Amino acid sequence: MSAPTQARPATATAAPRARRFWSARRIPAALTALVVLGAAGLLLYDVAAVRAHRPGMAWRRTLAHELANRPLNDVWVVTGAAVAAALGLWLLLLAATPGLRTVLPMRRDTTPIRAGLDRHAAELALRDKAMEVPGVRSARVSVGRRRAWVRAEVNYRDTDLVRADLDAALADGLARLSLARPPALALSVRRAAGG
């Protein structure tokens, strides 16, 4: 006969908040840095050449002449400004958003380890949980950050009974995933064709 296990006392410290995972974005950052470095190097070389009493590059003289003579409401000036603004907004959006939308953060109770669950793995786990319910012929699951959509087809049982069993099984499945923010369940049950 084994000795009874004692429950651990509750710790006074609160669990650290589980945040979303951020992507490294190495490729966009490297490409942007290379473009900015190349443009700055070219401009610096041209300024140094002009300071050394040599003629500036032809493209810069042409660009300066065009910008000095064209009005601000010219189509090419407005188009260039719109492209530059869109590119800048895109870079700001990349810098301000996490990016890894396919990884759902898991609960951090007391451990300093951060864990995440791939959405596809969560969908497979919930689909397997749904297929364990008697009467379910097929199930399709789609997991988002805020909602998990489950569409099940019933073969031989009453749909209301299957819905109740599915609701309990999927609630248990969502709890077992240990997600930091479990998604709300959206369940759709219908009778299979010819069932």
Side-chain angles (χ1 to χ4, degrees):
M1 193 194 271
S2 62
T5 58
Q6 294 180 353
R8 291 183 187 172
T11 57
T13 60
R17 185 172 177 219
R19 298 186 185 273
R20 288 179 57 195
F21 288 86
W22 286 68
S23 66
R25 292 192 179 98
R26 290 182 183 96
I27 294 174
L31 290 177
T32 304
L34 284 175
V35 168
V36 169
L37 183 67
L42 195 62
L43 203 57
L44 184 64
Y45 174 78
D46 191 49
V47 168
V50 169
R51 290 285 184 180
H53 304 294
R54 293 185 184 159
M57 293 183 181
W59 67 268
R60 191 178 69 82
R61 286 194 313 254
T62 305
L63 182 64
H65 178 71
E66 289 292 326
L67 288 176
N69 292 334
R70 285 186 186 260
L72 288 178
N73 61 355
D74 186 62
V75 174
W76 291 106
V77 174
V78 172
T79 303
V83 167
L87 190 62
L89 286 175
W90 179 66
L91 290 173
L92 284 174
L93 182 70
L94 280 179
T97 55
L100 285 178
R101 301 183 63 82
T102 60
V103 179
L104 300 169
M106 297 178 73
R107 194 170 48 239
R108 297 175 68 186
D109 294 329
T110 55
T111 61
I113 299 172
R114 290 186 65 206
L117 184 65
D118 186 67
R119 283 182 198 223
H120 186 64
E123 291 168 356
L124 287 176
L126 290 177
R127 187 187 66 80
D128 290 346
K129 218 37 172 159
M131 292 302 292
E132 291 174 1
V133 174
V136 175
R137 178 180 176 187
S138 67
R140 288 185 302 169
V141 179
S142 176
V143 176
R145 275 185 28 226
R146 293 188 176 90
R147 191 168 303 275
W149 292 272
V150 180
R151 290 171 288 285
E153 288 189 350
V154 177
N155 212 8
Y156 59 86
R157 286 179 67 200
D158 182 45
T159 54
D160 291 334
L161 292 174
V162 173
R163 179 186 296 278
D165 289 349
L166 268 174
D167 202 19
L170 291 172
D172 178 55
L174 280 172
R176 287 177 182 259
L177 291 179
S178 297
L179 296 176
R181 293 176 202 92
L185 185 62
L187 182 58
S188 170
V189 178
R190 65 178 183 155
R191 183 152 308 273

